[in-house]
């Protein structure tokens, strides 16, 4: 198998020199995917051949064929190779440095391919490109090349930790002078998006407020531009002032959230917007998480100031001790929310967005661990389930982008500061160290997802849950005769089915449905497996509460919670269980058996099924479900079901 894979990769490297541009694109895409999933070791044997292909492309003269796909222009071939250039640059600094040196020495090469390749390298290794910025400025000879040079300069922002550094100040002045020659609205929008994603928030705010906002053609466009401008303004203040700028930044970012809510309500009204297929849930989720992060930082800073003043841990049961425990719990919860956002939206967003969400989740985990190290007295004794979940042995932490400044700085702080912080260090020293770490973390470039500029309404997956295997066959026949196969209408007012199950015995349910072609076409990652998680929560006794004595009501709920097991505790615990999976048929249909753990106490329970999928690397993402019960089923656990366990009301 490895020999076949190596042979395929070597053949793809050879095809990078093929005259047909479509073959070059296909070979570059295959190599990018293989190296991204396989890592540096898989890419090392083929780096020389790929470098030779890129070097030869830069040196050849562009020409067009008279008929058919013959020799393609140099710029088109270079554009087709950008994916593999970006992946290899991320894996190997030497490759990026060698290719960048070749670019600035190629005086006879066309200028557009040089800037295009430099832009791809700068997105993976901005420090390598930053060393050659002066040479790139000499390359630009035409006004049409200015926009690519601006994009390269914006990417080099990630080569520095703080915006107040001298190289950053010089870079901002150069970008400001270059921006005066850009007049095209679409180019300005692209540059503002790139500036936002590379943490050049001052440039993004300037472009939107000066150029894009006055050219808005609709109410929806105006609201979106205002929300982007306010978000960029808030992040610019934080990057300049750190923790002292949170008070000034929070009103701006909260106003941006208000504009996004207005925009969401406008797009949800049918016939009231030119963007009926738009949805701003992702933007609202990311902005809400950012607001919560900043508020937690304010609380954390106040607790550290109090602890540094008294130089002792708070007594048990006091307000300060409870707040210290809660801030740790909240940072862990915020990390889980970013991970949930990644699972729900990552399948339909670009790689940069997925990497940014993982990096933000890693940042919240670092803040949680740093807070736990600082307030070590408050973490003694019984810990919350969320704390135990994240600190469990073998728990996987998201790594995010290893080359991003925020990832580098939290790694250095973990090794140099957190590793030596424990209860033997005086509380005032721990609090002072936490306050000193907080400021550079806030001033570092923020991993801003590119998906913030994409308003996309995703189709639903039809999902039905059955208790009887015969119903699965009947449902399949109904789908063949009446199913639309393209669109699924979500019924928000549908009632959950009630399925009787016997107590103390495992129960098998069957999830069936159809993944529409429109959803698979929107996915940025191919997937061939459907997966599912479930969570069971207690809903009520078989006998109504008014028929139960008041002293017995709490006892009934406690016995029910004790009988649920792992899958009935928290959403985080349910998502860490091994999911059930089944292959996805070529026509988009699936049938997935779900084995429920035994539930002992009798009563009514709600089962919520989360539907997902797996990509080629076994990455798991969630899919929105709709249908007759949309994955929500009421379980009636009663001994009467022992005679007939599959009665559906």
């Amino acid at each position: 198998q490895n020999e076949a894979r190596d042979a395929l990769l070597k053949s793809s490297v050879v095809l990078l020199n093929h005259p047909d541009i479509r073959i070059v694109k296909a070979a570059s895409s295959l190599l990018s995917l293989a190296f991204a999933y396989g890592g540096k070791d898989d890419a090392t044997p083929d780096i020389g051949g790929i470098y030779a292909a890129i070097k030869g492309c830069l040196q050849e003269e562009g020409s067009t064929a008279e008929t058919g796909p013959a020799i393609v222009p140099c710029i088109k071939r270079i554009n087709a190779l950008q994916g593999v250039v970006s992946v290899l640059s991320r894996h190997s600094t030497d490759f990026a440095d060698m290719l960048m040196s070749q670019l600035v020495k190629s005086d006879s090469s066309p200028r557009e391919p040089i800037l295009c390749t430099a832009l791809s390298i700068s997105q993976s290794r901005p420090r390598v490109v930053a060393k050659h910025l002066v040479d790139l400025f000499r390359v630009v000879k035409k006004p049409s090349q200015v926009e690519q040079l601006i994009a390269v300069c914006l990417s080099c922002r990630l080569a520095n930790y703080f915006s107040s550094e001298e190289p950053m100040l010089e870079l901002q002045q150069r970008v400001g002078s270059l921006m005066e020659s850009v007049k095209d609205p679409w180019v300005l929008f692209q540059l503002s998006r790139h500036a936002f994603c590379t943490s050049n928030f001052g440039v993004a705010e300037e472009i939107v407020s000066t150029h894009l906002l006055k050219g808005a053609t609709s109410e929806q466009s105006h609201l979106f531009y205002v929300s982007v401008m306010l978000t960029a303004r808030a992040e610019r203040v934080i990057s300049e002032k750190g923790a002292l700028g949170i008070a000034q930044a929070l009103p701006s970012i909260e106003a941006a959230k208000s504009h996004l809510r207005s925009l969401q309500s406008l797009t949800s009204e049918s016939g009231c917007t030119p963007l009926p297929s738009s949805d701003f849930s992702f933007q609202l989720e990311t902005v809400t998480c950012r607001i919560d992060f900043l508020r937690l930082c304010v609380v954390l800073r106040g607790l550290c100031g109090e602890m540094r003043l008294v130089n002792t841990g708070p007594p048990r049961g006091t307000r300060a001790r409870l707040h210290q425990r809660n801030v740790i719990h909240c940072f862990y919860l915020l990390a889980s929310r970013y991970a949930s956002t990644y699972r729900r939206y990552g399948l339909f967003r670009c790689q940069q967005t997925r990497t940014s969400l993982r990096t933000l989740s890693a940042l919240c985990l670092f803040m949680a661990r740093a807070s736990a190290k600082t307030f070590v007295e408050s973490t003694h004794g019984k810990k919350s389930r969320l704390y135990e979940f994240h600190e469990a042995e073998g728990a996987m932490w998201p790594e995010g982008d290893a080359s991003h400044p925020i990832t580098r700085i939290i790694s250095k702080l973990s090794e140099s500061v957190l590793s030596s912080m424990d209860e033997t260090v005086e509380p005032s020293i721990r609090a002072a160290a936490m306050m000193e770490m907080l400021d550079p973390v806030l001033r570092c470039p923020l991993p801003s997802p590119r998906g913030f500029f994409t308003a996309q309404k995703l189709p639903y997956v039809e999902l039905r849950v059955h208790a009887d295997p015969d119903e699965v066959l009947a449902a399949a026949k109904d789908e063949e005769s009446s199913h639309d196969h393209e669109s699924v209408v979500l019924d928000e007012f549908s009632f959950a089915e009630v399925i009787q199950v016997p107590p103390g015995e495992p129960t098998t349910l069957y999830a069936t449905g159809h993944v529409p072609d429109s959803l698979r076409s929107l996915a940025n990652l191919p997937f061939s497996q459907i997966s599912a998680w479930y969570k069971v929560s207690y809903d009520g006794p078989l006998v109504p509460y008014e028929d139960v004595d008041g002293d017995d009501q709490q006892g009934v709920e406690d016995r029910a919670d004790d009988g649920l097991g792992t899958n009935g505790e928290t959403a985080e615990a349910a998502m860490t269980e091994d999911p059930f999976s089944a292959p996805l048929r070529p026509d988009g249909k699936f049938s997935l058996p779900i084995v429920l753990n035994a539930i002992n106490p009798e009563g009514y329970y709600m089962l919520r099924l989360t539907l997902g999928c797996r990509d080629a690397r076994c990455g798991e993402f969630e899919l929105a479900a709709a249908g007759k019960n949309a994955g929500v089923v009421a379980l009636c656990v009663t001994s009467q079901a022992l005679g007939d366990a599959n009665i559906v009301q």
Side-chain angles (χ1 to χ4, degrees), residues 318-366:
T318 58
R319 174 197 62 83
R321 188 182 183 94
L322 294 176
H323 282 191
Q324 289 180 1
R325 288 174 58 87
N326 286 339
V327 76
I328 301 170
H329 179 91
C330 289
F331 273 120
Y332 278 127
L333 185 59
L334 192 56
S336 300
R337 284 172 56 188
Y338 273 119
S340 177
T341 303
Y342 169 83
R343 288 193 301 267
R344 285 187 286 119
Y345 298 99
L347 183 66
F348 307 98
R349 295 299 192 273
C350 63
Q351 178 63 41
Q352 191 273 348
T353 299
R354 293 192 292 271
T355 304
S356 296
L357 292 175
R358 289 196 300 268
T359 307
L360 290 169
S361 181
L363 173 61
C364 295
L365 286 172
F366 166 78

Side-chain angles (χ1 to χ4, degrees), residues 157-417:
R157 164 68 181 93
L158 301 180
N160 302 275
Y161 286 105
F162 309 119
S163 59
S164 58
E165 297 180 32
E166 184 176 351
M168 273 304 307
L169 297 177
E170 296 179 358
L171 195 61
Q172 291 173 0
Q173 294 178 355
R174 289 187 173 184
V175 170
S177 60
L178 292 173
M179 285 295 304
E180 298 176 356
S181 61
V182 182
K183 304 298 182 183
D184 187 0
W186 173 240
V187 174
L188 289 169
F189 175 81
Q190 290 179 309
L191 290 176
S192 66
R193 179 180 60 188
H194 189 63
F196 190 89
C197 297
T198 53
S199 300
N200 292 277
F201 297 111
V203 177
E205 179 189 3
E206 178 69 20
I207 295 175
V208 174
S209 60
T210 306
H211 303 283
L212 298 180
L213 195 57
K214 63 182 180 182
T217 57
S218 64
E219 182 181 4
Q220 290 76 23
S221 299
H222 179 82
L223 286 173
F224 180 72
Y225 285 145
V226 171
S227 63
V228 172
M229 180 187 68
L230 291 172
T231 305
R233 179 179 301 167
E235 298 299 345
R236 175 184 58 81
V237 172
I238 293 174
S239 64
E240 292 175 353
K241 300 181 180 180
L244 297 178
I246 295 180
Q248 181 181 350
L250 274 176
S252 296
I253 196 168
E254 287 176 347
K257 180 180 177 180
S258 178
H259 283 79
L260 287 172
R261 280 180 173 172
S262 302
L263 187 56
Q264 178 75 339
S265 15
L266 285 175
T267 54
S268 61
E269 298 176 3
S270 58
C272 297
T273 172
L275 303 172
S277 61
S278 301
D279 183 82
F280 294 89
S281 301
F282 176 79
Q283 287 83 349
L284 282 169
E285 183 66 24
T286 53
V287 169
T288 302
C289 288
R290 182 59 175 171
I291 292 174
D292 293 342
F293 180 85
L294 295 177
R295 287 174 174 170
L296 284 176
C297 289
V298 173
V299 174
L300 175 62
R301 197 166 186 268
L303 292 173
C304 289
E306 181 179 347
M307 186 174 176
R308 187 176 63 174
L309 180 65
V310 299
N311 194 26
T312 184
R316 185 183 300 273
T318 58
R319 174 197 62 83
R321 188 182 183 94
L322 294 176
H323 282 191
Q324 289 180 1
R325 288 174 58 87
N326 286 339
V327 76
I328 301 170
H329 179 91
C330 289
F331 273 120
Y332 278 127
L333 185 59
L334 192 56
S336 300
R337 284 172 56 188
Y338 273 119
S340 177
T341 303
Y342 169 83
R343 288 193 301 267
R344 285 187 286 119
Y345 298 99
L347 183 66
F348 307 98
R349 295 299 192 273
C350 63
Q351 178 63 41
Q352 191 273 348
T353 299
R354 293 192 292 271
T355 304
S356 296
L357 292 175
R358 289 196 300 268
T359 307
L360 290 169
S361 181
L363 173 61
C364 295
L365 286 172
F366 166 78
M367 294 299 298
R369 295 196 71 181
S371 302
K373 289 274 192 176
T374 303
F375 308 131
V376 65
E377 293 88 357
S378 299
T379 59
H380 288 319
K382 184 179 179 181
K383 299 181 176 65
S384 65
R385 290 172 177 172
L386 196 61
Y387 182 93
E388 293 175 348
F389 167 70
H390 283 292
E391 292 301 320
E393 185 177 355
M396 296 297 294
W397 277 36
E399 297 180 0
D401 186 0
S403 62
H404 197 279
I406 193 66
T407 307
R408 296 199 302 266
I409 199 170
I410 63 178
S411 298
K412 292 180 179 179
L413 291 175
S414 297
E415 296 173 0
S416 59
V417 181

